[in-house]
Amino acid sequence: GVFLILIAVAFFAYQHFFSRPIATHFNEKELTDAMVLAAKNVQTRFKAGDEDQLLVKNPQACEEFLGNMTNISSFYTRCNPSFLECYYQGKVGKIQPDLEVTPILKTHHFEFAPYRNGKIYRLISKTDGSGSFLPSFGMEFELISKEHPDFRMRFILEDSCHDLFLPRRKYAYAEETKTEALEWDNLDSNIFIDRFQITNRDVLDWVETTGVKDVRVNLEKLPFPATELTLEQMKSFCEYRGKELLSAQVYDAATFLPTDLEDVEPIKVKRGAYYWTKDVKSTFLYKKDPKLINSENCRYAYVQNCKTVTAYDPFYLSPSWMGFNQILGGAMEAVHNPFEPKLNLKVSSYYFNVHSSWHVLGKRGTWNGTGHTPQDIILGKDNPLLDKVEKIDIAFRCMKKSPFILKETDE
């Protein structure tokens, strides 16, 4: 797997680039094996996040690192280095012995070496010249042996929790009411998209690492989508992660429910108004009935009426047919639209009530890419719906096109 390759590379880097002598009165291979096991434990914790739901009982425990976790799903903590930061400081309860391993007979103890900013990790990206052998983006950690402090190893973890592979098939772009659908396919390409919108915590990490200026981050809402960036800043963030801003046609591909999952090249790609059902007329959005607004329906589309019913959880799992989240309702979302460049904004959001015609898939408005007021958005005849709103939240997410996919049988 990629992780083990990176472990091996990290140890190789240690052997060649650290000049401090290694003591000879211990079994170097045994210590190396133990350190690799400890790193694997960290990787497991990284992927699992708060699987024990410790933060449900104490949502403020990691507030310094993650923000307040009240009403936030634990999926936010998965592949989240800030959760590891909090966890290994013992702030969420008793720490499991991840860094104490016994490969044979002797128990070895390890700890994290802090980086300059005091954190136990640092972001790495090919865009900052970190090295050609590294992944496009990752988080680097360094372990030190407590028994032999001169013995240390760096390893890199990649976020495998939030990238979704877009199945290879034929797709269509734009809402179903358009008479002619623009059809396309990804049969010869590998596209990965972000499951969730980029959070304020993600952006804060980027700002602190790169020193990029004039990026607004809501420090009071770290778990929530970052909604105050300009379009160019969104593109720069995605580029730093080795990606690009999510495109409109890929957004549609991830959300329109295929008529037949087995038929990857249908003669005509049908599109529906909603991502979770083909029975459109039975939905609360189609009926436009406020009496049907409840916590369950608000998981499918967090519209304006939902604010008096349930808290907004951007990590609640109510995914599309292929695992894509945060689709209708919630914050508006910017996209790159190569077909209709001006239609770069998913408008369905918590600014519109259940009666709004904006709560359908593939329907978009126009954002000028800089401001966050109603005057910066063009919605046609529906623009007056925003006349009482002072500030508009505009979220985003990224995607990447990979030249290859490693399979289990690959060498």
Side-chain angles (χ1 to χ4, degrees):
V2 174
F3 176 76
L4 290 180
I5 291 173
L6 292 173
I7 286 292
V9 169
F11 182 67
F12 174 85
Y14 165 74
Q15 292 281 54
H16 285 74
F17 299 115
F18 285 78
S19 59
R20 285 174 291 188
I22 299 176
T24 58
H25 60 278
F26 62 87
N27 187 319
E28 183 176 325
K29 182 181 183 305
E30 180 182 328
L31 185 52
T32 300
D33 290 344
M35 190 168 273
V36 170
L37 284 176
K40 284 186 175 181
N41 289 342
V42 174
Q43 181 203 28
T44 299
R45 186 71 54 189
F46 182 67
K47 286 186 175 182
D50 184 28
E51 63 178 354
D52 299 322
Q53 302 288 301
L54 298 173
L55 293 177
V56 173
K57 302 173 184 176
N58 187 5
Q60 286 83 31
C62 291
E63 189 164 1
E64 175 187 354
F65 308 94
L66 297 168
N68 193 315
M69 289 286 292
T70 302
N71 298 319
I72 301 295
S73 166
S74 62
F75 205 102
Y76 168 54
T77 65
R78 294 183 58 188
C79 292
N80 189 328
S82 294
F83 174 73
L84 290 189
E85 189 92 49
C86 179
Y87 178 82
Y88 286 112
Q89 288 191 24
K91 295 183 180 294
V92 295
K94 184 178 179 180
I95 300 176
Q96 298 299 316
D98 297 344
L99 304 182
E100 297 179 9
V101 296
T102 310
I104 303 178
L105 296 176
K106 183 180 179 181
T107 299
H108 297 268
H109 304 81
F110 302 99
E111 62 185 352
F112 291 101
Y115 287 88
R116 290 181 180 178
N117 58 7
K119 294 183 177 181
I120 64 171
Y121 69 93
R122 75 179 182 101
L123 303 185
I124 60 163
S125 167
K126 281 189 176 180
T127 62
D128 60 19
S130 296
S132 59
F133 66 89
L134 299 177
S136 297
F137 175 79
M139 285 140 276
E140 182 187 85
F141 298 80
E142 184 173 12
L143 287 180
I144 300 175
S145 167
K146 286 187 176 182
E147 289 82 11
H148 307 282
D150 283 337
F151 200 93
R152 55 179 64 198
M153 180 180 69
R154 291 180 180 175
F155 60 97
I156 299 164
L157 297 179
E158 295 184 75
D159 182 350
S160 61
C161 304
H162 298 92
D163 275 354
L164 290 173
F165 176 66
L166 183 68
R168 293 193 186 94
R169 61 182 299 122
K170 187 177 177 183
Y171 294 104
Y173 158 80
E175 62 180 311
E176 64 171 347
T177 56
K178 293 203 172 185
T179 54
E180 292 295 328
L182 192 156
E183 296 184 345
W184 63 284
D185 70 72
N186 67 330
L187 297 173
D188 297 318
S189 60
N190 305 315
I191 299 175
F192 295 84
I193 59 180
D194 289 346
R195 179 192 297 265
F196 298 103
Q197 294 163 347
I198 300 301
T199 67
N200 283 301
R201 194 215 66 84
D202 295 326
V203 173
L204 179 62
D205 247 359
W206 172 56
V207 170
E208 292 181 342
T209 299
T210 63
V212 62
K213 304 295 183 183
D214 301 321
V215 177
R216 300 186 65 179
V217 183
N218 191 335
L219 300 178
E220 301 299 318
K221 292 187 175 182
L222 290 181
F224 290 86
T227 59
E228 301 184 44
L229 279 69
T230 67
L231 190 62
E232 288 305 311
Q233 289 171 341
M234 294 174 180
K235 292 178 180 178
S236 295
F237 175 92
C238 292
E239 182 181 355
Y240 182 77
R241 291 202 166 194
K243 302 180 179 183
E244 59 188 88
L245 187 66
L246 181 62
S247 65
Q249 77 274 18
V250 173
Y251 191 106
D252 291 347
T255 55
F256 285 128
L257 184 60
T259 303
D260 183 356
L261 289 175
E262 299 299 322
D263 185 5
V264 298
E265 294 186 78
I267 296 176
K268 182 176 179 59
V269 181
K270 295 182 179 180
R271 287 116 61 224
Y274 311 121
Y275 66 89
W276 70 92
T277 182
K278 297 175 185 176
D279 187 10
V280 173
K281 293 184 179 180
S282 68
T283 68
F284 73 106
L285 289 179
Y286 181 86
K287 293 179 178 180
K288 302 184 185 304
D289 185 355
K291 295 180 181 178
L292 296 178
I293 296 295
N294 54 46
S295 58
E296 181 180 355
N297 283 335
C298 287
R299 301 306 186 188
Y300 294 114
Y302 195 87
V303 300
Q304 187 181 63
N305 310 68
C306 293
K307 293 182 177 180
T308 59
V309 175
T310 185
Y312 177 51
D313 177 4
F315 284 90
Y316 184 86
L317 291 178
S318 177
S320 71
W321 69 279
M322 47 121 350
F324 196 70
N325 277 73
Q326 299 163 291
I327 298 168
L328 293 176
M332 292 189 186
E333 182 170 341
V335 294
H336 165 64
N337 194 334
F339 303 127
E340 300 175 284
K342 291 184 178 180
L343 297 181
N344 63 351
L345 186 68
K346 181 218 78 169
V347 176
S348 172
S349 60
Y350 39 50
Y351 296 109
F352 304 108
N353 63 32
V354 72
H355 296 288
S356 175
S357 62
W358 283 105
H359 300 308
V360 294
L361 298 177
K363 187 173 184 177
R364 297 184 175 89
T366 299
W367 177 39
N368 63 17
T370 55
H372 292 76
T373 70
Q375 290 70 41
D376 299 302
I377 296 172
I378 300 175
L379 304 183
K381 63 180 181 179
D382 292 327
N383 212 49
L385 292 173
L386 293 175
D387 59 1
K388 295 182 180 179
V389 180
E390 295 182 1
K391 175 179 166 293
I392 306 295
D393 293 337
I394 302 177
F396 73 104
R397 65 186 107 199
C398 311
M399 58 175 277
K400 65 181 177 183
K401 299 175 182 177
S402 176
F404 61 88
I405 297 178
L406 287 175
K407 300 178 181 179
E408 292 183 2
T409 56
D410 288 346
E411 295 294 333

